[in-house]
Amino acid sequence: MKSLVLTVVGLAGLFAATFVVIRLAGVLTVDDIRLVLDAASVVDPGYVITVVIALLFADLFIAMPTLTICILSGYFLGFLPGALAASAGLLSAGLAGYGISYRYGPALLSRIFRNEESLSEMQAIVSRHGVVALLLCRAVPILPEVCCCLAGANRMPPGRFLGGYLVASVPYAWIAAYAGSRSTLEQPMPGILTAIGITAVLWLCWCLILRPGQGRCRS
């Protein structure tokens, strides 16, 4: 368990560092993203699709406001195109993270943790609980990238990974895009309420899983 915790903390710290750097640099804010999508929509909707997919794919390397981008995808493209674009972006990032980690992760982990018993324990934990983590990974920023990398590095079977990640990401993208398609600058509440609702539901699920039999989660 210690090896897994150290790996999760290290990966989360790495992704979080990119967010801090971007915030300090003052680039790629939500306003910047909205302006880029607005400019792309004036030229051609196809450019909006490309930008949405590119931004969500970049989330694998640079922390992005994923839910906001999915909502804006629906706002600028409409429900169906926005949902498809957001889904494609999320899936491209997840599959790339899994694939890169599947290829290079085991060797890296073996260099970091030279104790074979620790590596075996980590693999066993990911094998038992990895799908659940994938299903609820959208509850917290950065967690999706961490889960994808852990799944790949610990050689989770591709079918299990894809199934869990699809269930976590596609409904998330479609709900967010639908909320965006129903929102306007004058009436942003559908998007705001959806963002709050998705986060609250996923957090509740985490509480129920991490606090079995207690009936409630602690703050």
Side-chain angles (χ1 to χ4, degrees):
M1 178 65 77
K2 181 180 178 181
S3 298
L4 179 61
V5 171
L6 289 174
T7 304
V8 170
V9 170
L11 286 171
L14 179 63
F15 288 117
T18 65
F19 176 78
V20 173
V21 170
I22 288 174
R23 293 288 292 181
L24 291 177
V27 297
L28 279 179
T29 63
V30 172
D31 287 337
D32 292 332
I33 292 171
R34 186 170 61 246
L35 287 173
V36 170
L37 290 172
D38 191 25
S41 67
V42 172
V43 179
D44 189 278
Y47 290 144
V48 179
I49 294 173
T50 301
V51 171
V52 167
I53 294 175
L55 288 172
L56 292 174
F57 178 79
D59 189 46
L60 177 62
F61 308 101
I62 304 170
M64 293 282 184
T66 305
L67 181 55
T68 300
I69 295 172
C70 292
I71 291 174
L72 288 174
S73 180
Y75 173 77
F76 283 104
L77 293 169
F79 169 51
L80 184 57
L84 292 174
S87 298
L90 294 178
L91 291 177
S92 65
L95 290 172
Y98 173 82
I100 293 170
S101 300
Y102 194 96
R103 174 66 178 83
Y104 300 105
L108 181 60
L109 288 179
S110 65
R111 289 178 178 273
I112 297 174
F113 304 105
R114 298 187 180 277
N115 188 331
E116 189 66 31
E117 183 177 346
S118 295
L119 288 176
S120 298
E121 181 186 18
M122 184 191 305
Q123 290 170 346
I125 293 172
V126 172
S127 177
R128 287 197 304 269
H129 306 294
V131 173
V132 174
L134 282 170
L135 290 173
L136 301 178
C137 67
R138 294 290 166 192
V140 183
I142 298 174
L143 187 57
E145 294 79 30
V146 172
C147 287
C148 290
C149 291
L150 279 176
N154 288 280
R155 296 292 175 86
M156 177 184 287
R160 291 186 65 193
F161 167 78
L162 185 59
Y165 193 71
L166 280 172
V167 172
S169 300
V170 173
Y172 176 92
W174 283 62
I175 293 170
Y178 178 76
S181 71
R182 307 299 296 177
S183 300
T184 65
L185 293 178
E186 295 75 24
Q187 294 292 334
M189 288 308 294
I192 294 172
L193 292 175
T194 297
I196 295 172
I198 289 177
T199 303
V201 169
L202 290 172
W203 267 106
L204 176 60
C205 292
W206 270 116
C207 289
L208 293 175
I209 288 174
L210 296 178
R211 297 288 186 271
Q214 294 188 22
R216 63 183 179 89
C217 61
R218 299 172 184 173
S219 57

